[in-house]
């Protein structure tokens, strides 16, 4: 069977998808040749790209555990990506039995795979939505039936905001979400930053992503990423690299070293 035949209706397998590129970097198999080729180009530009993707995924699991242990039992993952190991609902149920989880994405392949995985899980649902329209996501009838916005919840924007090129729009998305969250809720964000990566290399990497179905990627500075948490109480250790957020064992420092990208992350609590 060719890739064109394998692809769901409406999907062009010759156009790379950031969700499928990420799946490939994590060692998954739900990707096409165009995704692998684009990911390979990113790895040539940033040799630590695969390790950084894996560190980001590991942060997600630790973040779920941290907020679950703090008493959160509702989780909204916006821009969830393709299912892989240690998904939000799997981690949440270990540390907060009975947790209710909503996954939101606008990628048709993500929706197909996620719904198949969760077909018999009544506590977890998958909803089509776009983070660029946060108010539509937050008012979606399936989401408001599944989650109680009068009670604290955790919202995840993990490795997605850098696909919003306009700084004001990115801030507006986060602000709309923050304003909808009751006291005691948590906002979990991770975001690409470039550190000491050469500007020409950054430009070449952005060109690779520009050819994907999602479009451009926009790395931001520590100060810009910190701005997403304005007005929130930061959970220790604050805004740090994913390789440094409550890791239980020492990680290879080359994962976030010069010559490659890094991802900064943090969790903010609504006072």
């Amino acid at each position: 069977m060719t890739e064109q035949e394998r692809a769901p209706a409406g999907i062009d397998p010759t156009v790379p998808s950031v969700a499928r590129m990420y799946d490939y970097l994590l060692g998954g198999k739900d990707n096409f040749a165009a995704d692998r080729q684009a990911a390979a180009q990113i790895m040539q530009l940033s040799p630590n790209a695969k390790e950084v993707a894996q560190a980001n995924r590991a942060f997600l699991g630790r973040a779920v555990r941290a907020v679950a242990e703090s008493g959160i039992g509702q989780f909204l993952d916006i821009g969830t990506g393709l299912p892989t190991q240690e998904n939000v609902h799997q981690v949440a149920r270990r540390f907060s039995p009975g947790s209710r989880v909503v996954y939101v994405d606008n990628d048709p392949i993500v929706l197909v795979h996620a719904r198949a995985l969760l077909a018999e899980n009544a506590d977890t649902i998958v909803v089509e939505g776009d983070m660029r329209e946060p108010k539509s996501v937050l008012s979606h009838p399936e989401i408001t039936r599944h989650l109680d916005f009068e009670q604290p919840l955790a919202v995840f924007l993990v490795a997605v905001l850098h696909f919003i090129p306009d700084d004001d729009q990115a801030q507006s998305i986060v602000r709309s979400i923050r304003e909808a969250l009751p006291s005691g809720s948590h906002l979990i964000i991770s975001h690409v930053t470039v550190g000491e990566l050469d500007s020409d290399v950054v430009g070449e990497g952005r060109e690779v992503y520009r050819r994907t179905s999602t479009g451009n990627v926009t790395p931001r500075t520590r100060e810009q990423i910190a701005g997403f948490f304005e007005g929130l109480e930061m959970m220790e250790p604050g805004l740090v690299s994913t390789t440094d957020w409550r890791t239980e064992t020492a990680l290879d420092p080359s994962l976030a070293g010069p010559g490659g990208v890094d991802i900064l992350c943090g969790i903010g609590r609504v006072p």
Side-chain angles (χ1 to χ4, degrees):
M1 181 181 294
T2 67
E3 290 194 336
Q4 188 67 57
E5 292 170 329
R6 279 202 300 122
I11 295 296
D12 183 352
T14 66
V15 177
S17 153
V18 295
R20 299 193 304 267
M21 289 169 63
Y22 188 52
D23 174 71
Y24 173 72
L25 291 172
L26 292 175
K29 298 179 180 179
D30 295 317
N31 48 75
F32 298 121
D35 308 309
R36 296 188 288 273
Q37 182 180 7
Q41 290 177 291
I42 293 298
M43 287 188 286
Q44 285 182 335
L45 296 169
S46 179
N48 67 341
K50 182 175 290 188
E51 290 82 3
V52 168
Q54 293 168 347
N56 181 70
R57 186 68 188 185
F59 159 70
L60 173 65
R62 296 194 301 276
V64 174
R65 175 177 179 174
V67 296
E69 290 182 334
S70 74
I72 297 294
Q74 303 187 102
F75 302 82
L76 176 59
D77 186 2
I78 302 176
T80 180
L82 283 159
T84 182
Q85 296 180 344
E86 294 293 274
N87 298 292
V88 170
H89 71 284
Q90 294 167 321
V91 180
R93 286 190 303 190
R94 286 206 301 272
F95 298 101
S96 180
S99 293
R100 300 179 71 80
V101 178
V102 176
Y103 292 115
V104 178
D105 210 291
N106 64 351
D107 186 310
I109 287 188
V110 169
L111 297 171
V112 167
H113 283 268
R115 285 168 175 155
L117 174 69
L118 301 168
E120 299 180 0
N121 188 332
D123 291 332
T124 304
I125 64 172
V126 183
V127 174
E128 182 175 5
D130 194 322
M131 69 172 168
R132 289 170 292 189
E133 299 177 357
K135 293 181 180 178
S136 294
V137 170
L138 297 170
S139 63
H140 194 291
E142 288 186 68
I143 295 176
T144 55
R145 281 196 299 268
H146 199 73
L147 302 178
D148 181 359
F149 280 79
E150 298 297 319
Q151 299 298 321
L153 66 153
V155 177
F156 295 80
L157 291 169
V158 173
V160 292
L161 285 170
H162 43 246
F163 294 114
I164 303 296
D166 185 85
D167 292 338
D168 290 339
Q169 184 183 13
Q171 286 285 0
S172 177
I173 289 169
V174 175
R175 185 167 54 250
S176 294
I177 292 171
R178 286 201 316 250
E179 291 174 351
L181 300 180
S183 177
S185 296
H186 292 72
L187 180 62
I188 299 91
I189 295 174
S190 68
H191 194 296
V192 165
T193 190
V194 294
E196 300 178 30
L197 202 60
D198 184 87
S199 60
D200 290 339
V201 174
V202 173
E204 291 181 52
R206 295 184 72 179
E207 183 57 35
V208 174
Y209 278 103
R210 193 174 288 116
R211 297 194 295 269
T212 69
S213 55
T214 299
N216 211 344
V217 62
T218 301
R220 291 188 168 90
T221 65
R222 170 178 290 275
E223 290 72 23
Q224 288 174 309
I225 299 169
F228 294 132
F229 295 100
E230 184 177 355
L232 303 180
E233 301 168 350
M234 294 299 290
M235 183 178 285
E236 290 294 333
L239 182 64
V240 297
S241 169
T242 51
T243 60
D244 295 326
W245 202 93
R246 299 195 180 186
T247 49
E248 297 178 356
T249 58
L251 297 176
D252 184 346
S254 68
L255 297 186
V261 297
D262 191 14
I263 293 181
L264 299 182
C265 65
I267 299 180
R269 182 183 181 277
V270 179

